[in-house]
Amino acid sequence: MLVLGIESTCDETACAVVRDGKEVLSNVIASQADLHAVYGGVVPELACRRHIEVLRPTIEEACKQAGVTLEEIDLIAAARGPGLIGAIMIGLSAAKSLALGLNKPFVGVNHIEAHLYAPFMDHDIPLPALGVVASGGHTSLMLIESLGNYQLIGETIDDAVGESFDKVAKMLGLPYPGGPHIEKLAQEGNAKRFAFKAGRVKEKPYHFSYSGLKTAVLYKWKELEEKDKADIAASFQEAALGDIVKKAKLAAKELGCKAIVAGGGVTHSLRLRAMLESAEVPVFWPGEGLSLDNAAMIAGLGYQQYKMQGEDPFSIRAETRIAIAYK
Ligand code: KG4
Ligand code: ZN
């Protein structure tokens, strides 16, 4: 079954063609990063305009690279949220229109669930597994009993981990999105110089809090100079990622998980990968091109969802905030 996936929840316009939920035939990403970089963050109105401009050519490019025509596609899948409402509406409406015009089934998928599905595309993962979502909008731990069957274990009560990287990067005068720049700078820094800590949430050992960490970094940075920048970046990175690693390892052990599955843009971090590999169970990561926002994960999960539940009605709507359907 050939699935066309469309992703437009934030600042990437992405389209992909995936066969049977796993085999990526094309994975095209039109990034808007430079459009938003001058503002130090995503400007929703600009994101929407750019999505409208580039969506059609991106769909065409995805089909071309996959060597298929639109008529040969069997299912159209789009992210229905969470994310920026206007941005999601563009990809979702395009998917519905294509499905209607081509007389093909359509499904709307959850962007966060798709991040967690990414590692399943090229691995057989033993279940139950502990899912770790670390992205610009989300930080959560979930118990994955089977695909489509999740239990929320912990989530952030304020900033997401990727968001804290972006905010700290902005303070340090680094470009947006900040994660990769912090990682690069941190390689030259001393991570032990400052004892930063991510927040603990009372009586909720698996919840996250990053806003205190961000403020601590801000005050420390005000006392310092340019030459201390790499040390600040390294110490912040260690605290932010270390907190995820500690909680994920603990939860995996306590819940008897056979594996850890990590997804979301922050899994692009090689430092996070190295740190989490210390877990007692095997850790599965998204393959090449599947960590940051992409449409291959949307097409992949769309296929699984269609197999389990059939098509979605055209009445489903874009949603700014949707939790994964926990069972
Ligand atoms: O999943 P994603 O592409 O978009 C959302 O759904 O949010 O994640 C983007 C986030 C950004 O906050 C970016 O700074 C962060 O992932 N990120 C990183 C790294 N690469 C990307 N954070 C830390 N270290 C990295 N190497
Ligand atoms: Zn994402």
Side-chain angles (χ1 to χ4, degrees), residues 3 29 39 78 89 99 137 145 174 194 249 274 297 324:
V3 185
I29 301 171
Y39 303 99
M89 278 166 67
E145 287 171 82
L174 300 171
F194 305 108
K249 280 162 67 175
M297 66 181 191
I324 292 180

Side-chain angles (χ1 to χ4, degrees), residues 7-80:
E7 154 64 38
S8 68
T9 58
C10 191
D11 60 342
E12 333 277 351
T13 317
C15 300
V17 178
V18 173
R19 184 182 279 130
D20 297 336
K22 298 214 160 183
E23 191 191 343
V24 181
L25 302 185
S26 65
N27 188 13
V28 181
I29 301 171
S31 174
Q32 306 182 358
D34 12 327
L35 178 68
H36 303 285
V38 283
Y39 303 99
V42 178
V43 183
E45 180 62 29
L46 293 182
C48 292
R49 288 176 193 211
R50 181 62 71 83
H51 282 310
I52 291 174
E53 276 165 30
V54 305
L55 188 54
R56 260 185 93 141
T58 311
I59 292 171
E60 281 158 15
E61 186 59 26
C63 288
K64 191 174 146 203
Q65 287 187 17
V68 302
T69 61
L70 269 179
E71 287 69 29
E72 288 171 307
I73 298 287
D74 301 299
L75 171 71
I76 321 266
R80 61 185 285 235

Side-chain angles (χ1 to χ4, degrees), residues 19 31 36 41 65-66 93 103 121 129 177 186 203 231-232 272 286:
R19 184 182 279 130
S31 174
H36 303 285
Q65 287 187 17
S93 307
N103 198 21
M121 294 179 74
E203 287 167 23
D231 292 346
I232 277 265
L272 175 65

Side-chain angles (χ1 to χ4, degrees), residues 7 9-10 12 82 111-112 115 133-138 263-265 291-294 297:
E7 154 64 38
T9 58
C10 191
E12 333 277 351
H111 175 96
I112 301 302
H115 271 307
V133 181
S135 75
H138 293 82
S291 284
L292 296 166
D293 285 351
N294 68 88
M297 66 181 191

Side-chain angles (χ1 to χ4, degrees), residues 1 19 27 61 66 79 90 113 122-123 126 149 153 159 172-173 189 220 231 246 264-265 269 271 281 300 320:
M1 188 169 194
R19 184 182 279 130
N27 188 13
E61 186 59 26
I90 293 160
E113 188 179 352
D122 35 30
H123 300 284
N149 196 346
I153 305 301
D159 292 349
L172 301 181
K220 183 52 78 184
D231 292 346
K246 185 182 78 192
S269 162
R271 184 67 195 132
V281 290
T320 309

Side-chain angles (χ1 to χ4, degrees), residues 114-316:
H115 271 307
L116 272 188
Y117 175 71
F120 284 87
M121 294 179 74
D122 35 30
H123 300 284
D124 284 322
I125 301 178
L127 297 173
L130 184 82
V132 180
V133 181
S135 75
H138 293 82
T139 311
S140 36
L141 299 180
M142 323 275 147
L143 177 65
I144 308 175
E145 287 171 82
S146 60
L147 276 184
N149 196 346
Y150 315 94
Q151 206 181 308
L152 184 69
I153 305 301
E155 63 188 336
T156 180
I157 58 160
D158 42 55
D159 292 349
V161 60
E163 188 180 357
S164 76
F165 271 83
D166 296 337
K167 288 180 175 170
V168 167
K170 199 170 174 178
M171 285 174 209
L172 301 181
L174 300 171
Y176 171 86
H181 297 282
I182 297 224
E183 181 172 23
K184 190 154 173 258
L185 186 60
Q187 283 164 0
E188 300 153 24
N190 173 6
K192 296 209 173 88
R193 177 151 169 219
F194 305 108
F196 293 131
K197 266 199 157 52
R200 246 188 283 154
V201 183
K202 213 173 157 204
E203 287 167 23
K204 300 212 161 120
Y206 300 127
H207 275 41
F208 298 91
S209 168
Y210 286 104
S211 77
L213 170 63
K214 174 192 66 192
T215 313
V217 172
L218 176 66
Y219 285 125
K220 183 52 78 184
W221 175 232
K222 281 186 174 164
E223 300 166 8
L224 301 170
E225 299 167 31
E226 197 61 23
K227 65 172 174 42
D228 304 304
K229 208 157 153 176
D231 292 346
I232 277 265
S235 303
F236 158 74
Q237 174 177 262
E238 216 61 13
L241 300 180
D243 190 59
I244 299 182
V245 171
K246 185 182 78 192
K247 288 170 181 168
K249 280 162 67 175
L250 204 67
K253 200 165 182 180
E254 189 147 298
L255 299 167
C257 293
K258 295 186 182 139
I260 294 177
V261 178
V266 182
T267 65
H268 207 236
S269 162
L270 294 179
R271 184 67 195 132
L272 175 65
R273 292 189 179 215
M275 288 166 92
L276 196 52
E277 287 298 339
S278 63
E280 284 168 25
V281 290
V283 186
F284 295 91
W285 302 96
E288 179 84 31
L290 301 176
S291 284
L292 296 166
D293 285 351
N294 68 88
M297 66 181 191
I298 304 293
L301 180 62
Y303 167 83
Q304 303 293 352
Q305 197 171 306
Y306 182 72
K307 266 201 337 192
M308 289 188 283
Q309 303 165 12
E311 65 188 306
D312 278 330
F314 288 139
S315 56
I316 67 158

